[in-house]
Amino acid sequence: MIFRPVNIGPVHLPYPLMQAGLAGYSDRAMRLVARRRGCPYAVTEALLDVILLNGGKGLKQSIDINDEDHPIAGQLIGSEPKQMARAATILSSAGYDVIDVNLACPVKKIRNKARGGHLLSDESTAIDMLKAVRDALPARVPTTLKIRRAYDDSAESHEIAERLLHTAFSCGYAAAAVHARTVEQKYGGKASWDFLRKLKRRYPDNIIFGSGDVFDAASAVAMLKKTGVDGVWIARGAIGNPWIFQHAIQLLNGVDEALLNPPTVHEQREALMEHFLEAMQIHGEQLAGRRMRKMGIRYARFHPESQRVKDAFINVLSLRDWQKVLDQYYKVDGPGVWPGAATVDLVNECAA
Ligand SMILES: Cc1cc2nc3c(=O)[nH]c(=O)nc-3n(C[C@H](O)[C@H](O)[C@H](O)COP(=O)(O)O)c2cc1C
């Protein structure tokens, strides 16, 4: 067997798969559409601690979660250990099952404020932060961290990241998700799965999730096989592809890759409609329209007339526009297509 179920403290995942934190994408709408297609666990985008401490003013969406949106990790990003600890208690009281600390975001506006990935070059603050968050929560609430393999490719930088991981596990963190790129790499270049494989060998008794270059169900399963990590964090590969979870589950259950089917046109229509309606509930119609354009463009890669559908989604402003695209291109059912390899070209930013 190439996979085992995973436990993050008391949180049980029947399959070692999760939907990543993805700023600007992984809101409740994206999470629910994925969960209904097999996703066993999801992480919020990075939430800025000071915003939570100020009552949530300035957050792009409420931190409320509904019954269907579990198990869920609330991910925090910040620069000051005590503030992060207080923000962790806010998320925990709001019902998040796991609290995740972001030591990974490479975006400059975050780094300039000594948050996220920047903390990989400020070891003592990162250690204080990890400990403060852990100490602030009752033992029953698991904490996890998201980290890059290092800040840069220097030996010193790798040693710091390793010490941070070691500290996290020794003070009771239940799991670490490791993005196998350096902070300096941002989202470009290749993720080093070899690094993940060696890391997992050094931490056989700790839960390590792998992140980086998981663009379809086959690569999710390949990461498990090649690196031995305990779970796979599915990020860009999940944008506009909520079926990636059910496909990965099929592969984990021994189905041959050649027997997987892309979503039919009607299955795509169903997910697209569901996604827009959920997004509208969270953001209102106008903002949902803006956010969903980029989603629609990603979904379009499974459509037989992919380019035309993309062009149509670009102009969407409202639910009516969205429905018009669905009526024009998704009315007649038929087989979907597998996207070509070159379609995961979006790269970008953590908006936190
Ligand atoms: C647009 C975008 C937003 C992201 N936002 C977050 C975030 O809020 N929190 C986080 O932990 N990682 C974030 N990430 C990183 C991803 O979760 C993931 O680690 C990274 O994309 C590597 O995986 P991939 O190569 O399979 O996409 C983001 C990545 C992208 C592209």
Side-chain angles (χ1 to χ4, degrees):
M1 188 147 90
I2 56 161
F3 80 95
R4 327 175 267 292
V6 199
N7 294 319
I8 306 172
V11 174
H12 176 72
L13 312 188
Y15 290 97
L17 308 166
M18 61 215 65
Q19 183 170 277
L22 282 161
Y25 293 91
S26 62
D27 57 7
R28 191 175 69 221
M30 183 173 167
R31 298 194 298 264
L32 291 185
V33 174
R35 286 182 195 279
R36 292 170 194 157
R37 288 157 186 81
C39 171
Y41 179 63
V43 184
T44 65
E45 68 179 42
L47 304 165
L48 192 54
D49 59 350
V50 283
I51 293 190
L52 291 173
L53 296 177
N54 289 333
K57 224 172 124 199
L59 272 186
K60 295 205 176 99
Q61 56 196 280
S62 137
I63 57 163
D64 290 350
I65 24 180
N66 67 16
D67 289 348
E68 200 186 346
D69 200 11
H70 286 280
I72 181 164
Q75 188 185 75
L76 282 172
I77 192 162
S79 49
E80 209 281 303
K82 282 194 188 130
Q83 282 176 358
M84 282 286 277
R86 277 166 48 219
T89 63
I90 293 174
L91 284 188
S92 168
S93 308
Y96 286 82
D97 304 291
V98 174
I99 305 301
D100 188 59
V101 174
N102 183 313
L103 298 181
C105 184
V107 173
K108 220 172 183 179
K109 67 179 176 193
I110 305 282
R111 276 193 290 143
N112 286 348
K113 293 200 173 124
R115 301 175 188 139
H118 172 87
L119 289 171
L120 296 191
S121 57
D122 182 354
E123 186 177 352
S124 68
T125 306
I127 287 181
D128 289 349
M129 183 178 286
L130 289 169
K131 289 184 174 162
V133 168
R134 186 53 273 167
D135 290 348
L137 295 167
R140 68 183 154 73
V141 179
T143 49
T144 55
L145 73 153
K146 169 80 183 304
I147 191 167
R148 295 262 177 161
R149 73 177 159 83
Y151 186 83
D152 58 32
D153 261 322
S154 66
E156 191 199 350
S157 183
H158 277 88
E159 283 158 19
I160 293 174
E162 181 95 15
R163 283 198 293 272
L164 291 176
L165 267 182
H166 188 78
T167 303
F169 288 133
S170 344
C171 75
Y173 277 64
V178 182
H179 181 175
R181 290 186 175 88
T182 62
V183 175
E184 277 197 350
Q185 264 183 291
K186 297 187 178 158
Y187 298 101
K190 262 184 101 65
S192 170
W193 286 15
D194 194 45
F195 174 85
L196 291 177
R197 186 179 58 80
K198 290 179 181 150
L199 183 73
K200 181 59 206 172
R201 278 207 192 147
R202 293 200 295 282
Y203 291 88
D205 300 327
N206 295 109
I207 305 283
I208 307 252
F209 301 133
S211 170
D213 293 345
V214 175
F215 292 140
D216 53 23
S219 52
V221 174
M223 178 185 269
L224 286 170
K225 266 193 201 163
K226 289 187 181 164
T227 69
V229 291
D230 302 280
V232 181
W233 169 281
I234 304 183
R236 283 175 288 183
I239 300 175
N241 183 8
W243 305 278
I244 193 168
F245 297 98
Q246 66 196 31
H247 287 143
I249 289 170
Q250 283 177 283
L251 295 176
L252 291 173
N253 284 323
V255 173
D256 193 298
E257 194 189 338
L259 297 178
L260 296 184
N261 292 313
T264 64
V265 170
H266 275 180
E267 283 166 344
Q268 295 174 44
R269 185 179 68 182
E270 198 185 355
L272 282 159
M273 201 60 226
E274 214 177 290
H275 203 146
F276 198 102
L277 293 176
E278 291 291 349
M280 225 166 75
Q281 278 192 27
I282 306 167
H283 307 289
E285 183 171 356
Q286 210 184 5
L287 182 54
R290 282 215 304 276
R291 286 177 68 101
M292 288 302 293
R293 276 197 291 245
K294 61 188 181 189
M295 289 285 188
I297 290 167
R298 300 299 301 157
Y299 273 100
R301 66 198 196 273
F302 292 97
H303 195 282
E305 289 186 74
S306 178
Q307 191 53 52
R308 284 193 192 181
V309 177
K310 270 186 204 163
D311 294 343
F313 276 127
I314 286 171
N315 298 313
V316 164
L317 291 171
S318 61
L319 176 61
R320 219 171 125 234
D321 296 342
W322 190 259
Q323 271 167 331
K324 258 168 72 185
V325 179
L326 299 195
D327 285 347
Q328 189 172 358
Y329 291 103
Y330 291 85
K331 201 167 194 157
V332 180
D333 201 6
V337 296
W338 288 121
T343 56
V344 183
D345 48 4
L346 82 165
V347 179
N348 336 180
E349 56 176 51
C350 310

